[in-house]
Amino acid sequence: MIKVELTDVWGFEHAVRGMRNPMNSWDRGDSHYSMDRSRFIIGKDDLKLMQKLYKAGTEHRKFMRQIFISMDITAPLYWWKEFDTYKIGTTANSCSTMHKIHSKEFSPDDFSFENLVNTHNGRKTAKDILNALNHFREMYLQSKSKKYWWQMIQALPTSYNQKRTVTMNYENAVTIIRQRYGHKLDEWKELITELSNLPYMQEITGGGV
């Protein structure tokens, strides 16, 4: 599973202004704020230039790196291992497993167990995993012995869900959409949908990221 929330996008105004610097064409800019200044509206001529620069390639579309995205993402550790490929231009602050693993009882909601097959032929079921982790948690809370803390840390499956506040830019988003399109993990499909529906993403890329 993946949950994306508290998405915020900003930077269109200065990205458009900087986009026109190379040709000193500021007088042709037609973007503006809405009447209540709650939304920056990309004008027809500015959008046309954005589309042209986008098609020209990464070295020409520097404005994409000046449009920023922030979002809270909750996803399993096995997915975060892949997301960590995208280090350049991205920043993430995560909830601490090291410090807070024992702070609450483990429950099914803490894990992405939706595709786990429950069998009794040697493979642990979700219930087995939860029982083991909660047993070690109780032992740690009672004794404060680090050996029980280690049992939780080292036995924690990669299906454990972690929340991170992620900041990236539109160029990062385009890279993710292109590279992870069609990936077997459902989490990527869902994030791609979120990124594809960001303000003006479809218009800038022509829907053909």
Side-chain angles (χ1 to χ4, degrees):
M1 62 80 70
I2 188 171
K3 181 167 68 173
V4 180
E5 54 190 341
L6 301 177
T7 301
D8 191 17
V9 176
W10 73 98
F12 280 106
E13 181 182 11
H14 63 245
V16 169
R17 188 172 67 248
M19 175 185 70
R20 290 198 169 277
N21 285 348
M23 300 301 292
N24 295 357
S25 61
W26 310 287
D27 60 313
R28 298 180 61 181
D30 58 349
S31 299
H32 59 279
Y33 278 99
S34 58
M35 291 292 291
D36 61 0
R37 296 193 63 81
S38 63
R39 189 165 63 96
F40 190 72
I41 300 169
I42 304 297
K44 182 179 178 181
D45 289 339
D46 284 332
L47 181 58
K48 186 176 179 180
L49 179 56
M50 284 178 160
Q51 293 168 337
K52 179 181 178 180
L53 294 172
Y54 175 80
K55 291 178 182 177
T58 56
E59 66 272 31
H60 297 286
R61 62 187 190 217
K62 291 188 286 291
F63 76 90
M64 296 282 282
R65 286 173 254 162
Q66 294 185 302
I67 305 171
F68 301 103
I69 310 158
S70 179
M71 52 178 57
D72 279 8
I73 302 176
T74 303
L77 295 177
Y78 63 75
W79 181 81
W80 282 118
K81 283 197 303 182
E82 293 201 355
F83 181 84
D84 285 340
T85 299
Y86 301 99
K87 290 291 188 184
I88 299 175
T90 69
T91 302
N93 272 330
S94 64
C95 292
S96 175
T97 304
M98 296 296 107
H99 295 296
K100 303 298 289 184
I101 190 172
H102 64 280
S103 63
K104 63 178 287 294
E105 187 176 68
F106 293 96
S107 73
D109 290 340
D110 295 323
F111 300 85
S112 291
F113 280 153
E114 64 270 19
N115 294 313
L116 187 65
V117 177
N118 291 324
T119 67
H120 297 281
N121 60 354
R123 281 187 287 175
K124 288 184 178 295
T125 63
K127 185 176 180 181
D128 294 329
I129 295 169
L130 290 173
N131 287 342
L133 290 170
N134 280 320
H135 168 73
F136 292 129
R137 175 179 176 270
E138 285 299 321
M139 296 297 290
Y140 174 73
L141 292 175
Q142 292 173 20
S143 68
K144 298 301 180 183
S145 173
K146 194 173 179 179
K147 72 177 182 180
Y148 296 117
W149 177 84
W150 273 117
Q151 305 313 303
M152 289 185 286
I153 290 295
Q154 294 193 338
L156 192 68
T158 59
S159 56
Y160 184 71
N161 294 325
Q162 184 184 62
K163 177 188 284 188
R164 300 186 190 182
T165 298
V166 176
T167 302
M168 62 179 120
N169 59 53
Y170 265 43
E171 187 64 43
N172 299 137
V174 166
T175 299
I176 289 171
I177 293 169
R178 282 183 168 177
Q179 293 182 352
R180 299 294 168 167
Y181 182 80
H183 196 280
K184 65 177 66 174
L185 288 180
D186 292 340
E187 287 84 0
W188 282 118
K189 297 173 186 176
E190 294 179 41
L191 181 62
I192 284 172
T193 297
E194 294 283 343
L195 296 178
S196 298
N197 289 325
L198 291 172
Y200 292 107
M201 181 64 79
Q202 292 295 313
E203 290 87 345
I204 292 169
T205 64
V209 176

